[in-house]
Amino acid sequence: LATSTFPSATSIDYAFIGVLQFALSLIIAPPVTFVVRKLGTQIPMLIGILLQTAGFISASYASQVWHLYLSQGVLIGIGLGFIFVPCTPILSQWFNKKRSLAMGISSAGSGVGGLLFSFGIQAMIDNISLSWSFRTTAIICGVMNLLSVALIRNRNHAVKPPQLGFDTKLLVRYDVFLLLAWGFMSMLGYITLLYSLPDFSASIGLNTSQAAAISAYLNLGTALGRPMAGFVSDKLGRIEVAGVLTAFCGVLCFAIWIPAKSYGVAILFAIMSGAVVGVFWMVSYFLLISLF
């Protein structure tokens, strides 16, 4: 918006592209689950890598905002779904007593990646152009995901999971409804925070480098906090810890985020909220296992 890279684009366009990417990656979970049941874990993930890489590269050639809708929104979003959904249940197959800790360590990877990319992407945009930033990201993500596909191993032959794409009978269960309601509300807050914090930083007078740093500190908090939250969840209970951390994140928004007017306070909020935000990713799958 500041540089009019796409003159016809509005703030709603950019916000919707990001949300479209995230939403599609989760909405396609039922059909991806069906594909995994038929083709196994690796093939769907390879399909996702192909779509994601194609999305980044095609976005690098975008000249109008609707090009970004199709590339960064649709292609990358579907690609993420094909990568993320097949590998989600695998950790639970290999861990018994310390499942939440394992998921916390695993999900902390998104914080480490976010930390690196928050600084790296801004530097690439400033020094080698937006187009080559997309292409560089495509190369990095493609190579790392290919390594993951080569190394990942499931235990479907021993566990024999049902891998149902969508089971409507579960929707009438009271406990499932409560879990879904919590997931809906916590994810709504998670996405709002994740996508709004850099823009909020700019709104209080911080420059682009500082705004990027705030996003990096949020991811730093995620990398540090999720393993600890997983460890505590295994000790004290997943539902209890998930509820407390979700409430604590809400309190932080009112106590620190709203009155924040300086760089230091914004950093404090980013680290503290990053440590507890997104607890859904650590405990939701294992809560579903216990319910079903």
Side-chain angles (χ1 to χ4, degrees):
L1 286 173
T3 59
S4 296
T5 304
F6 300 93
S8 63
T10 65
S11 59
I12 297 298
D13 286 314
Y14 290 123
F16 195 78
I17 289 168
V19 174
L20 178 64
Q21 177 191 113
F22 203 96
L24 283 176
S25 67
L26 300 179
I27 288 173
I28 65 168
V32 172
T33 302
F34 177 79
V35 174
V36 171
R37 186 172 60 186
K38 296 295 184 181
L39 302 178
T41 301
Q42 274 85 359
I43 293 178
M45 291 184 70
L46 288 173
I47 293 172
I49 294 171
L50 178 63
L51 293 173
Q52 184 192 57
T53 304
F56 278 121
I57 293 176
S58 58
S60 72
Y61 292 99
S63 58
Q64 300 183 47
V65 69
W66 67 267
H67 297 164
L68 290 181
Y69 272 94
L70 296 178
S71 56
Q72 191 170 357
V74 176
L75 269 180
I76 295 178
I78 295 176
L80 284 172
F82 270 89
I83 295 170
F84 174 73
V85 173
C87 65
T88 300
I90 290 179
L91 273 177
S92 65
Q93 299 177 353
W94 291 97
F95 292 88
N96 185 20
K97 294 181 179 180
K98 298 181 179 180
R99 283 179 171 177
S100 291
L101 175 59
M103 181 58 80
I105 295 172
S106 173
S107 59
S110 66
V112 175
L115 177 64
L116 297 174
F117 275 93
S118 294
F119 289 114
I121 293 295
Q122 187 62 52
M124 285 190 289
I125 291 174
D126 293 338
N127 292 283
I128 62 173
S129 80
L130 175 64
S131 297
W132 274 104
S133 299
F134 274 120
R135 294 163 197 159
T136 304
T137 303
I139 295 170
I140 295 172
C141 292
V143 171
M144 297 306 295
N145 280 319
L146 285 173
L147 288 174
S148 298
V149 172
L151 296 173
I152 199 167
R153 296 291 183 272
N154 62 52
R155 298 183 66 239
N156 290 343
H157 62 286
V159 179
K160 295 183 173 23
Q163 293 180 320
L164 298 176
F166 196 81
D167 190 350
T168 55
K169 295 179 182 178
L170 296 174
L171 297 178
V172 300
R173 288 180 52 176
Y174 180 65
D175 49 1
V176 174
F177 176 79
L178 288 176
L179 177 61
L180 293 176
W182 167 70
F184 180 88
M185 296 305 298
S186 63
M187 287 302 296
L188 178 63
Y190 173 75
I191 295 302
T192 302
L193 177 60
L194 190 66
Y195 281 91
S196 298
L197 198 55
D199 191 59
F200 164 78
S201 302
S203 73
I204 62 173
L206 304 184
N207 58 42
T208 56
S209 297
Q210 290 174 321
I214 294 297
S215 180
Y217 283 120
L218 176 71
N219 286 285
L220 174 63
T222 298
L224 297 175
R226 286 186 177 178
M228 291 188 288
F231 176 78
V232 176
S233 295
D234 287 324
K235 298 292 184 181
L236 302 180
R238 297 180 181 107
I239 293 178
E240 292 80 1
V241 172
V244 169
L245 292 184
T246 301
F248 179 65
C249 190
V251 171
L252 286 177
C253 292
F254 286 97
I256 302 179
W257 191 7
I258 292 177
K261 299 298 180 183
S262 66
Y263 186 40
V265 176
I267 290 176
L268 175 66
F269 172 73
I271 295 176
M272 292 185 66
S273 62
V276 297
V277 76
V279 66
F280 175 85
W281 297 114
M282 291 176 290
V283 301
S284 59
Y285 185 77
F286 305 125
L287 289 177
L288 288 170
I289 291 175
S290 64
L291 289 175
F292 303 160

